[in-house]
Amino acid sequence: MVGFDILPSQHLLSSAQCTATCSRQGFQSRILQCVWHGSTRPAGNACRDQQRPIVMRPCKGPPCQSNGNCTDRSSYCSLAKTLHLCRLSRYHLQCCESCRTRESKG
């Protein structure tokens, strides 16, 4: 009979923060490591035949700040608005005023 200490198991490490900002949708990931059962010793490819747990899931970013510091930080913000880039968190943050104007118009 095989002892439990030589069987591989999958160990989930800490979760990463959500990639989304300002109430947008994003993803949160977890690191999966194959280790020998009951230890933290890496087991290499020994887990390849086991079913993997879910390591990515959707998440929602923190609420937008409404402290009045919403300003455009780039001269290209009018283009971001025209090209419908405000849905991307990077542009939404850089072009806060332009993107907020777009959202309020519907």
Side-chain angles (χ1 to χ4, degrees):
M1 180 174 198
V2 176
F4 283 114
D5 59 336
I6 60 171
L7 294 176
S9 65
Q10 297 180 40
H11 180 68
L12 287 168
L13 302 177
S14 62
S15 297
Q17 289 186 351
C18 184
T19 60
T21 58
C22 198
S23 297
R24 302 282 186 194
Q25 285 291 99
F27 289 94
Q28 184 178 29
S29 62
R30 301 183 294 181
I31 297 172
L32 180 66
Q33 184 179 28
C34 180
V35 296
W36 294 112
H37 184 76
S39 75
T40 57
R41 291 179 299 149
N45 291 327
C47 297
R48 68 177 169 260
D49 294 331
Q50 295 180 3
Q51 184 175 354
R52 291 174 51 99
I54 296 172
V55 294
M56 289 193 74
R57 65 180 177 186
C59 60
K60 189 172 183 177
C64 298
Q65 295 179 1
S66 60
N67 59 4
N69 292 335
C70 180
T71 59
D72 288 345
R73 297 184 214 156
S74 171
S75 58
Y76 299 106
C77 287
S78 61
L79 288 175
K81 181 179 173 183
T82 303
L83 296 173
H84 306 287
L85 296 172
C86 290
R87 59 188 166 88
L88 302 173
S89 61
R90 179 179 179 183
Y91 291 98
H92 190 77
L93 292 172
Q94 286 287 328
C95 303
C96 178
E97 186 175 3
S98 292
C99 289
R100 185 172 65 181
T101 302
R102 179 190 71 82
E103 289 173 349
S104 65
K105 289 182 179 178

